[in-house]
């Protein structure tokens, strides 16, 4: 995986953030505060601790204005379609 | 990092001039011998005050309103910081006559004039440009703004303007342009000039031939990568801040002023928004850091005694930045000294953020509802759901904020009943106390927006005469009459008038100031009812036809408060908004 894309897998869930696409809107942090944060450059990062429920994670990916977040479950892409 | 207001630099070694005369051929010793004027020439119209300095749109108001032009103000302040002699000449808010403004302009013996334009005014500006060039031939004219960013060659073709700066960072690029001319600094992207102009030594990236055969050069795509924290504070004295400190419906406490913390909106996708698709296209969003924004807030409160601030960034930053900014206001105690207002999206914040904003002194929170119909929200790529228009303001209200809603009517695909449904939703939300105030407009497909392109493809445009894009008439084909859309706008403006809303207003009066504010808002409302009276400029405040029209509209809501959406909207729960899942 390139250094521009942060990917974390946990169980059957995988989240990817394409960092160069992120514009620091921070909707992901508001929608899923346990899953996303902004780093010191104000770019979205996936957090290490316990994540939010899947419904919230998908809603946060949907809230991203530039579609920088991708969600996969069991290898199947949940968002964006 | 501490942020200090711009202080004139002590005598330092002056940079070496490569051009040693000003535009009138007079020898100069330094940049401070170059005079730059920033402002607007007066625009006289029977339609009222032209809101040319309003971000993202344009209209005339019968009730005089003067909005602080933030990016032009940063341009003036940045020019001054970099050593130029600067004058601020806003002929609109200074209520000048054109000839008097021209005399004043001449008296500054200016070298450069920077003016922001917009589609509904651009044709007037073409004439003003040519008149100014006739009277002051040495004066170099620099035009900026959304319209010329989308159609630069058109303005080069239709006027004698000297330069155009495209893109939303013209407050940086104007300094670069003049430093290129006088100090040989490398020219940034987005500048247009004429081949005959010997002051520009940069090699053009793009060459375009006009219909006259003459050549126009440009330095390539707009330069949009500047760090906003590098800007000086707006010099409020230079830019005559008091012109914009009182007459503005966004203020409850005065004197008040504006901030502009972000460029422009991080959603950046609404198809009707002209700035999203010209000055600040998707991917170019940037904002001040919370620390920098707080430093300028502190500066205007300490130095000018400002009591309320409206931050007109397209949408205020959220998440960690908003938390940090609120903490800075709370910990410093400035949450008690100044009230803060901003633009927000219905589905951008949770109750936790709203409560923090309430504590931090936020008051006025402006949402773009646009329409009550989901099909329209989807077509506009608004990214919101109908439930959000209730849940967001409900949460804001419970945190003590005053939701202000902007709504547009006149979409080609919306029927008369669709428009009535939007009015019913607004009326319901006013009645329930979720909405505090509103601004209603006719949707305008500003040139260069995706909505405008859709209209052109589908033959929905009634006219391409830019003058008509001033919200005083529909410019798109709609499935009902022109007169009806004006009546609907009046109906929408009257929809607050329910016994519940009025009772809450009266019971809520706590001070003489509250009473005066209520009176002021009532006057504003009458102004808006006049803005959209079907008789337009044939009536005024005292015309019997207008007064009868307005009374009928207001009365019809007062005596029939129930709406067709009461049950539907009362069933909405917090979790119906995705932010609350």
């Amino acid at each position: 995986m390139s250094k521009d894309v942060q990917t974390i897998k946990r169980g059957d869930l995988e989240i990817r953030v394409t960092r160069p696409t992120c514009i620091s809107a921070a909707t992901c942090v508001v929608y899923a505060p346990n899953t996303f944060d902004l780093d010191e450059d104000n770019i979205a990062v996936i957090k290490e601790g316990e994540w939010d429920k899947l419904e919230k994670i998908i809603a946060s990916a949907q809230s991203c204005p530039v579609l920088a977040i991708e969600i996969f479950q069991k290898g199947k892409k949940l968002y964006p379609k | 990092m501490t942020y200090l207001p711009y202080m004139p630099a002590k005598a330092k070694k002056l940079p070496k001039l490569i051009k040693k005369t000003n535009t009138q051929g007079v020898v100069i010793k330094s940049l401070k011998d170059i005079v730059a004027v920033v402002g607007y020439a007066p625009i006289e119209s029977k339609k009222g005050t032209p809101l040319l300095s309003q971000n993202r749109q344009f209209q005339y108001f019968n009730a005089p309103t003067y909005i602080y032009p933030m990016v032009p103000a940063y341009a003036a302040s940045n020019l001054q910081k970099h050593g130029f002699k600067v004058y601020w000449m806003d002929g609109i808010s200074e209520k000048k006559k054109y000839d008097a403004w021209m005399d004043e302009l001449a008296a500054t013996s200016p070298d450069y004039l920077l003016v922001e334009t917009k589609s509904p005014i651009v044709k007037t500006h073409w004439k003003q440009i040519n008149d100014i060039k006739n009277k002051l031939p040495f004066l170099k004219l620099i035009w900026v703004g959304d319209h010329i960013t989308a159609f630069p060659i058109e303005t080069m073709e239709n006027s004698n303007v000297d330069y155009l700066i495209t893109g939303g960072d013209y407050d940086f690029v104007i300094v670069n342009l003049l430093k290129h001319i006088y100090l040989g600094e490398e020219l940034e992207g987005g500048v247009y000039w004429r081949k005959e102009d010997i002051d520009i030594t940069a090699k053009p990236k793009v060459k375009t031939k006009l219909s006259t055969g003459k050549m126009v050069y440009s330095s390539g795509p707009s330069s949009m990568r500047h760090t906003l924290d590098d800007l000086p504070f707006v010099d409020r004295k230079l830019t005559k801040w008091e012109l914009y400190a009182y007459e503005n419906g966004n203020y409850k406490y005065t004197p008040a002023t504006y901030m502009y913390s972000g460029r422009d909106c991080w959603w950046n996708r609404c198809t009707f928004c002209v700035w999203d698709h010209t000055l600040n296209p998707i991917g170019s969003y940037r904002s001040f850091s919370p620390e920098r924004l707080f430093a300028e807030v502190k500066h205007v409160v300490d130095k000018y005694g400002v009591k309320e601030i409206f931050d007109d960034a397209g949408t205020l930053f959220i998440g960690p930045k908003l938390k940090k900014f609120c903490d800075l206001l709370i910990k410093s105690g400035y949450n008690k000294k100044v009230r803060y207002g901003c633009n927000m999206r219905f589905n951008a914040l949770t109750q936790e953020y709203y409560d923090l904003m309430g504590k931090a002194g936020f008051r006025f929170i402006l949402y773009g509802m646009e329409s009550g119909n989901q099909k329209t929200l989807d077509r506009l790529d608004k990214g919101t759901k109908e439930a959000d228009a209730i849940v967001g303001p409900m949460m804001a209200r419970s945190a003590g904020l005053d939701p202000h809603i902007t709504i547009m009517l006149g979409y080609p695909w919306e029927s008369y009943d669709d428009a009535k449904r939007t009015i019913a939703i607004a009326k319901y939300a006013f009645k329930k106390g979720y909405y505090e105030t509103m601004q209603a407009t006719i949707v305008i497909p500003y040139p260069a927006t995706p909505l405008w392109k859709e209209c052109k493809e589908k033959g929905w445009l009634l006219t391409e005469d830019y003058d008509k894009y001033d919200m005083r008439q529909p410019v798109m084909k709609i499935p009902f009459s022109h007169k009806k859309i004006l009546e609907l706008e009046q109906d929408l403006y009257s929809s607050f008038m329910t016994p519940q809303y009025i009772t809450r207003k009266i019971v809520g009066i706590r001070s003489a100031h509250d009473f005066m504010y209520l009176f002021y808002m009532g006057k504003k409302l009458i102004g808006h009812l006049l803005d959209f009276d079907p008789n337009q400029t044939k009536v005024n405040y005292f015309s019997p036809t207008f007064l009868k029209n307005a009374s009928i509209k207001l009365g019809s809501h007062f005596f029939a408060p129930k709406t067709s959406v009461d049950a539907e909207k009362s069933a909405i729960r917090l979790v119906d908004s995705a932010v609350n899942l």
Side-chain angles (χ1 to χ4, degrees):
Chain A
M1 203 57 56
S2 84
K3 79 169 177 41
D4 286 346
V5 179
Q6 182 197 13
T7 299
I8 295 187
K9 283 185 188 165
R10 187 161 297 161
D12 63 5
L13 198 56
E14 177 181 335
I15 303 175
R16 295 184 198 164
V17 171
T18 307
R19 293 170 56 77
T21 308
C22 174
I23 60 164
S24 318
T27 53
C28 56
V29 179
V30 174
Y31 274 66
N34 302 310
T35 312
F36 300 101
D37 201 349
L38 296 189
D39 65 12
E40 64 289 350
D41 298 323
N42 287 310
I43 299 298
V45 283
I46 306 163
K47 292 171 90 166
E48 293 300 335
E50 192 183 327
W51 288 347
D52 299 275
K53 59 185 179 184
L54 179 56
E55 210 184 1
K56 274 177 95 73
I57 294 173
I58 291 176
S60 77
Q62 290 167 336
S63 75
C64 173
V66 288
L67 305 181
I69 301 171
E70 294 171 293
I71 316 292
F72 298 81
Q73 190 169 47
K74 297 181 183 132
K76 180 173 170 271
K77 196 171 196 185
L78 300 184
Y79 191 82
K81 292 280 186 300
Chain B
M1 179 165 174
T2 51
Y3 299 96
L4 291 173
Y6 162 64
M7 298 288 182
K10 293 193 190 54
K12 281 191 293 180
K13 197 166 155 304
L14 292 174
K16 195 169 173 307
L17 295 173
I18 63 160
K19 176 176 162 59
K20 299 189 175 14
T21 58
N22 66 17
T23 58
Q24 297 153 69
V26 176
V27 174
I28 59 169
K29 289 201 208 70
S30 77
L31 295 182
K32 80 171 170 31
D33 298 330
I34 297 300
V35 177
V37 175
V38 178
Y40 303 100
I43 291 162
E44 288 143 57
S45 165
K46 274 188 279 163
K47 292 177 183 172
T49 308
L51 269 61
L52 184 46
S53 58
Q54 181 170 9
N55 283 3
R56 294 174 292 278
Q57 54 181 336
F58 173 88
Q59 59 201 109
Y60 292 98
F61 268 5
N62 273 290
T65 299
Y66 302 104
I67 293 173
Y68 211 147
M70 277 284 105
V71 184
Y74 276 114
S77 308
N78 207 22
L79 281 164
Q80 176 179 260
K81 172 189 169 184
H82 286 271
F84 298 95
K85 172 68 181 161
V86 183
Y87 291 90
W88 181 260
M89 289 186 58
D90 178 351
I92 294 172
S93 63
E94 289 183 277
K95 305 171 189 116
K96 298 268 181 197
K97 291 291 178 204
Y98 181 78
D99 291 340
W101 184 83
M102 275 302 297
D103 293 342
E104 256 183 54
L105 178 62
T108 67
S109 75
D111 295 293
Y112 299 91
L113 169 65
L114 181 141
V115 173
E116 174 196 22
T117 192
K118 288 192 169 128
S119 301
I121 291 298
V122 76
K123 286 166 63 183
T124 302
H125 273 172
W126 291 339
K127 294 186 202 106
Q128 286 185 341
I129 286 169
N130 295 346
D131 182 61
I132 294 170
K133 283 303 276 186
N134 269 339
K135 293 171 178 160
L136 300 168
F138 301 112
L139 175 58
K140 296 279 188 178
L141 303 184
I142 305 164
W143 248 242
V144 297
D146 46 41
H147 188 89
I148 63 98
T149 295
F151 312 108
I153 298 303
E154 180 198 49
T155 289
M156 285 302 221
E157 188 85 68
N158 285 284
S159 76
N160 301 325
V161 73
D162 298 286
Y163 305 112
L164 301 176
I165 300 176
T166 60
D169 280 11
Y170 54 81
D171 45 354
F172 289 93
V173 182
I174 177 66
V175 172
N176 166 258
L177 169 59
L178 299 194
K179 283 188 154 181
H180 167 76
I181 292 170
Y182 290 95
L183 305 180
E185 193 171 280
E186 189 189 341
L187 189 62
E188 292 184 23
V191 178
Y192 285 71
W193 69 97
R194 298 177 192 275
K195 182 182 177 184
E196 300 75 27
D197 188 309
I198 55 167
D199 287 348
I200 304 288
T201 51
K203 195 165 174 298
K205 299 247 173 43
V206 181
K207 299 180 182 181
T208 310
K209 182 177 271 188
L210 299 181
S211 60
T212 57
K214 298 221 167 163
M215 295 302 292
V216 163
Y217 289 171
S218 106
S219 55
S222 307
S223 164
M224 305 284 297
R225 279 285 146 239
H226 305 96
T227 302
L228 301 189
D229 279 11
D230 294 343
L231 281 169
F233 295 158
V234 165
D235 184 322
R236 309 247 163 197
K237 192 159 167 274
L238 168 70
T239 56
K240 302 177 185 169
W241 73 283
E242 286 183 302
L243 289 170
Y244 317 99
Y246 299 95
E247 287 171 280
N248 185 324
N250 292 358
Y251 302 149
K252 182 170 184 178
Y253 305 98
T254 55
T257 198
Y258 265 44
M259 289 287 163
Y260 185 53
S261 64
R263 294 176 191 202
D264 172 62
C265 162
W266 46 260
W267 177 253
N268 229 156
R269 285 168 39 177
C270 298
T271 61
F272 61 85
C273 181
V274 67
W275 280 21
D276 274 355
H277 301 285
T278 55
L279 293 178
N280 309 98
I282 196 146
S284 68
Y285 173 72
R286 287 146 299 143
S287 77
F288 283 140
S289 62
E291 295 80 2
R292 166 61 169 79
L293 180 58
F294 172 71
E296 190 159 4
V297 166
K298 190 172 181 302
H299 167 71
V300 298
V301 173
D302 295 346
K303 187 164 186 184
Y304 300 100
V306 158
K307 295 202 182 95
E308 183 157 23
I309 291 170
F310 182 66
D311 184 336
D312 202 9
T315 304
L316 182 69
F317 50 58
I318 61 172
K321 286 187 182 177
L322 177 55
K323 273 189 178 162
K324 176 70 178 177
F325 180 58
C326 288
D327 289 345
L328 287 165
L329 285 165
I330 294 164
K331 286 191 179 108
S332 65
Y334 276 73
N335 59 331
K336 301 275 188 290
K337 296 182 182 177
V338 67
R339 307 306 303 271
Y340 206 81
C342 67
N343 296 307
M344 188 47 65
R345 287 173 51 78
F346 280 139
N347 60 353
L349 299 173
T350 56
Q351 191 65 61
E352 178 204 352
Y353 283 93
Y354 282 120
D355 293 340
L356 185 61
M357 290 166 82
K359 259 178 76 189
F362 277 75
R363 180 189 75 83
F364 188 82
I365 185 160
L366 189 152
Y367 297 98
M369 172 176 168
E370 321 314 359
S371 165
N373 302 295
Q374 192 61 51
K375 67 177 180 183
T376 296
L377 300 176
D378 295 340
R379 283 186 87 132
L380 297 177
D381 198 2
K382 191 70 196 177
T384 54
K385 298 290 178 209
E386 285 189 21
D388 300 328
I390 299 296
V391 172
M394 185 197 291
M395 293 194 283
R397 191 53 121 184
S398 81
L401 307 181
D402 288 346
H404 176 83
I405 311 303
T406 59
I407 303 173
M408 300 190 286
L409 301 177
Y411 300 95
W413 57 79
E414 280 201 348
S415 65
Y416 185 80
D417 288 341
D418 288 335
K420 291 293 270 185
R421 177 177 150 74
T422 295
I423 295 169
I425 292 166
K427 181 173 179 178
Y428 167 84
F430 274 120
K431 187 169 60 172
K432 294 288 281 185
Y434 301 148
Y435 296 175
E436 172 70 6
T437 48
M438 161 179 55
Q439 179 181 358
T441 55
I442 293 175
V443 58
I444 294 292
Y446 287 112
T449 59
L451 177 61
W452 179 72
K453 288 168 188 156
E454 182 182 7
C455 286
K456 274 177 82 95
E457 278 154 26
K458 294 179 174 158
W460 286 340
L461 290 180
L462 291 173
T463 173
E464 294 202 43
D465 175 2
Y466 298 140
D467 290 349
K468 298 232 168 26
Y469 284 56
D470 66 358
M471 287 195 195
R472 283 309 179 83
Q473 67 261 297
V475 294
M476 293 183 284
K477 286 173 189 154
I478 49 176
F480 42 86
S481 72
H482 171 179
K483 184 167 183 287
K484 274 248 183 295
I485 188 79
L486 294 177
E487 283 168 6
L488 281 168
E489 292 288 348
Q490 283 194 316
D491 202 14
L492 182 49
Y493 261 122
S494 312
S495 65
F496 74 94
M497 184 57 105
T498 59
Q500 296 88 334
Y501 182 88
I502 298 300
T503 308
R504 200 179 306 114
K505 284 294 104 200
I506 294 165
V507 167
I509 293 175
R510 294 279 177 287
S511 63
H513 178 273
D514 286 348
F515 180 79
M516 290 310 294
Y517 176 65
L518 210 58
F519 187 76
Y520 173 74
M521 293 310 278
K523 211 181 78 182
K524 279 273 175 194
L525 165 78
I526 304 294
H528 289 316
L529 290 175
L530 189 59
D531 291 341
F532 291 108
D533 190 286
N535 303 296
Q536 281 297 292
T537 51
K538 293 190 211 76
V539 290
N540 59 49
Y541 281 104
F542 310 103
S543 310
T545 23
F546 164 63
L547 292 171
K548 185 177 144 239
N549 230 353
S551 321
I552 290 167
K553 285 276 181 306
L554 293 165
S556 68
H557 285 294
F558 190 80
F559 296 110
K562 194 169 182 329
T563 81
S564 55
V565 296
D566 277 14
E568 174 201 332
K569 297 302 174 183
S570 299
I572 289 173
R573 298 158 304 139
L574 283 175
V575 288
D576 291 336
S577 193
V579 73
N580 290 324
L581 282 177

